[in-house]
Amino acid sequence: STIPSKQHVGVKAIIYLNPSNLTEKCTSSNVNSDTETKTGCMKWYAYEETSSTYTAILDHNISLTAWNSANNNTDNSEIMGQLNKDTSDWDKSLSARLISADEIVKIVDPSNTAGFDYKTNADTAILVFETLTQNFSAKCIADDNCKYAWLYDRTNANCKSIYGCLNNSVGKTTVGYWTSTPVYGSKENVWTVDFGGDLYGGQSLTNKEFGIRPVITILKSNIG
C-alpha cells in the first residue's frame, strides 16, 4: 500500500490482515483498531522485511494487562500467558510475540547516533523518538510531522494533539504498550513504549493501563 512518508519513517508496508483467517480479504475500509480488538481484519505496520516476509506490529493494543502483578521482571509468564490467550485462534505461522527494546531503538535510531543503550541505561531514562534525546518536539506535533507517529499509534486519548501520534486511542483508556525487554539491573521494570512517543524504563510492571501490542511475521504471499 501507499505509505505517507512523513509520519511513517521506518515503515516498509501497511498491511491489512485477519490473523485468524489469512485468506480473508481485508482493506483499509474494513479494519477495526479499537483497543482490545483481537479478531477480524486489523491494521499492521511492517518495519522489517526479507525477500519473502514482513515483520509487523499491530496499530493498537489487544489487551490491557500487568506485565507481572508481583512487579518482578524475571518472570514473564503472566504477560506471555495473556498474549497466548489473546492470540490462541490466530494462525500459528504468524508467531505472535512482543516487540523488544532493541527493535524499537533500531527503528528510531538505526545508526545509533544517540548512543542510547537499553542494556545499560537507568530505569528512569527516556529515549524520545523524534529528538533522540529526553526532550519532546513541539515542532513536529505542530507541523503534523512526527516521523514515528505510527509507532505509538492509539496509545492515549490525547496522544495526537499533545504528542503527535497518528490516532488517539479508541476504546478503553491506555497509556502505551509493553516490550519484552527487562531493564538491565532492575527487577521491577521493563521497557515500554509510552503515549509521549518514547521508550521508557521506569514504569511499574503492575500498571494495567499498558497493553499488549503483538508483532507477527507474515509471508508476503499471504497478503492479498
Side-chain angles (χ1 to χ4, degrees), residues 7 9 56 74-75 120 171 181 184 192:
Q7 291 182 293
V9 172
T74 65
D75 179 5
T120 59
T181 309
Y184 181 80
T192 59

Side-chain angles (χ1 to χ4, degrees), residues 6 11 20 22 27-28 34 41 44 60 81 88 95 104 111 113 117 120 136 140 157 166 179 185 198 210 224:
K6 69 176 184 177
V11 175
S20 302
L22 302 185
T27 67
S28 59
D34 289 359
C41 291
W44 309 77
H60 66 274
S88 60
S95 301
I104 297 291
S111 299
T113 56
D117 184 357
T120 59
F136 297 97
C140 85
L166 279 174
T179 75
D198 59 89
F210 276 83

Side-chain angles (χ1 to χ4, degrees), residues 100-138:
S100 69
D102 183 53
E103 288 174 287
I104 297 291
V105 173
K106 286 179 179 177
I107 289 169
V108 301
D109 190 17
S111 299
N112 194 28
T113 56
F116 183 88
D117 184 357
Y118 71 92
K119 295 179 181 178
T120 59
N121 275 98
D123 59 5
T124 54
I126 299 173
L127 179 66
V128 177
F129 301 156
E130 304 300 330
T131 60
L132 297 181
T133 66
Q134 294 196 36
N135 301 314
F136 297 97
S137 172

Side-chain angles (χ1 to χ4, degrees), residues 27-110:
T27 67
S28 59
S29 62
N30 70 347
V31 296
N32 186 348
S33 296
D34 289 359
T35 299
E36 296 194 316
T37 296
K38 305 172 179 63
T39 60
C41 291
M42 297 185 286
K43 181 178 181 180
W44 309 77
Y45 298 112
Y47 58 90
E48 288 183 1
E49 70 175 314
T50 68
S51 59
S52 59
T53 65
Y54 283 121
T55 301
I57 189 168
L58 195 59
D59 75 333
H60 66 274
N61 295 345
I62 61 172
S63 274
L64 301 180
T65 182
W67 202 92
N68 178 284
S69 296
N71 216 30
N72 176 9
N73 68 13
T74 65
D75 179 5
N76 69 355
S77 59
E78 184 173 347
I79 194 166
M80 293 308 297
Q82 186 65 51
L83 173 64
N84 292 335
K85 178 182 177 182
D86 291 341
T87 62
S88 60
D89 67 345
W90 291 16
D91 193 289
K92 301 306 180 188
S93 68
L94 300 174
S95 301
R97 61 177 178 84
L98 302 179
I99 199 166
S100 69
D102 183 53
E103 288 174 287
I104 297 291
V105 173
K106 286 179 179 177
I107 289 169
V108 301
D109 190 17

